[in-house]
Amino acid sequence: MKNRFIKLIATVVLPVSLFSCASNTLISNGGYSDVSLNSDSDQFEIKRLKEVSAEGNAIFGIPFDKKVGNKSGLIVRFNGVTLNGSNRVLPILSLVGLSIAGGAILNNAVGYKSWENGGGYKLGLAASSAIVLPVTGIINNQIWGFSAAGRASQKLNRQLVEDNPNVDVFLNPKYSIDKKNSLWTQKAEITVRTMGATLKVD
C-alpha cells in the first residue's frame, strides 16, 4: 500500500510540476476611440498618462495580498484586459476538499492500528490532511492558476480612474503582463500605458 501511495503521488506531482512557468505578454489596441469621430480636435485635449501598475500574489491558488474587497474599476468600451477578479473563498474551499480527500487516501495507505493499541487509523484525518498539503497545494495552485493575475486586473482599472479623475476618455491602452506561476505560488504584475482625452467645456 505504501509503495502504491508513493507511485500515486509521483504520478500527480511530476506532470503538474511541468506547468510551472513564467510569461510576459504585451497587449495593444489597434483602434482609436470614438472621441476622434464625434468631436472636433479643438474640443478635447489628449495627453499621454503616467503608467499604472498593479500586482497580485497567491499561494496554493489563494490570493494573499492586501484585501481589495468589493473595490473594482470599470472603463466602458475600453479594449484591453478583461480578467475576472479573484476572491479567497473558493480556492480555500477547494484546498480543504482536496486535502481531506488526499488525507483519506494516505490513511488507507498507512493502515490501521492494532486492536491492542485501540484500533483506528494510524495517522488520523487531521494529521494525514496536513501531511498531503504540499501535494494538494500544488494541485490547487494549478486549478486556480489565474488568481494572482485576476487580483492584479481587479486593481488596475480602478487605480487608473482614481489617478486620473479629470480624464473623460481613455485611449489606445498598451498592456504588459508579467506572470510567474511556480509549484505553490503565483505572482503577476500588469502595467498599462494609455492616453487620456479631456473634453474642453465652454
Side-chain angles (χ1 to χ4, degrees):
M1 288 297 290
K2 290 183 180 180
N3 290 335
R4 187 179 301 174
F5 179 73
I6 292 172
K7 290 179 181 179
L8 175 64
I9 295 299
T11 302
V12 172
V13 173
L14 184 59
V16 171
S17 66
L18 298 178
F19 286 95
S20 300
C21 62
S23 65
N24 177 275
T25 305
L26 298 177
I27 302 174
S28 182
N29 183 13
Y32 194 69
S33 172
D34 289 347
V35 69
S36 63
L37 302 177
N38 299 331
S39 304
D40 295 329
S41 59
D42 60 352
Q43 292 180 321
F44 58 87
E45 178 185 1
I46 297 178
K47 63 179 181 179
R48 175 70 63 182
L49 304 178
K50 182 180 178 181
E51 70 176 28
V52 175
S53 296
E55 186 176 291
N57 295 277
I59 184 170
F60 294 167
I62 303 169
F64 68 86
D65 54 346
K66 183 179 179 182
K67 186 177 180 182
V68 296
N70 294 323
K71 293 182 178 181
S72 62
L74 175 63
I75 302 178
V76 179
R77 300 176 68 184
F78 192 50
N79 297 328
V81 178
T82 55
L83 294 172
N84 293 322
S86 302
N87 59 46
R88 294 172 179 162
V89 176
L90 293 178
I92 289 174
L93 290 177
S94 66
L95 179 62
V96 170
L98 287 168
S99 297
I100 291 174
I105 294 173
L106 179 58
N107 270 335
N108 287 326
V110 172
Y112 297 87
K113 299 176 183 177
S114 64
W115 289 110
E116 292 82 4
N117 293 322
Y121 287 114
K122 292 180 179 179
L123 291 175
L125 187 58
S128 60
S129 297
I131 291 172
V132 300
L133 187 59
V135 176
T136 56
I138 293 174
I139 298 171
N140 206 58
N141 197 47
Q142 299 303 321
I143 293 173
W144 300 97
F146 60 85
S147 289
R151 183 60 67 99
S153 176
Q154 191 173 356
K155 301 172 184 176
L156 189 69
N157 280 353
R158 182 180 181 89
Q159 189 65 47
L160 186 62
V161 174
E162 287 181 344
D163 288 354
N164 301 281
N166 296 324
V167 170
D168 295 303
V169 181
F170 294 96
L171 311 171
N172 301 340
K174 289 180 171 59
Y175 292 90
S176 174
I177 304 174
D178 285 301
K179 181 180 175 184
K180 182 177 182 181
N181 282 19
S182 63
L183 286 180
W184 294 285
T185 62
Q186 303 171 32
K187 182 176 182 179
E189 183 176 3
I190 305 178
T191 300
V192 61
R193 292 184 294 112
T194 184
M195 300 172 70
T198 302
L199 300 178
K200 297 177 180 179
V201 180
D202 295 331

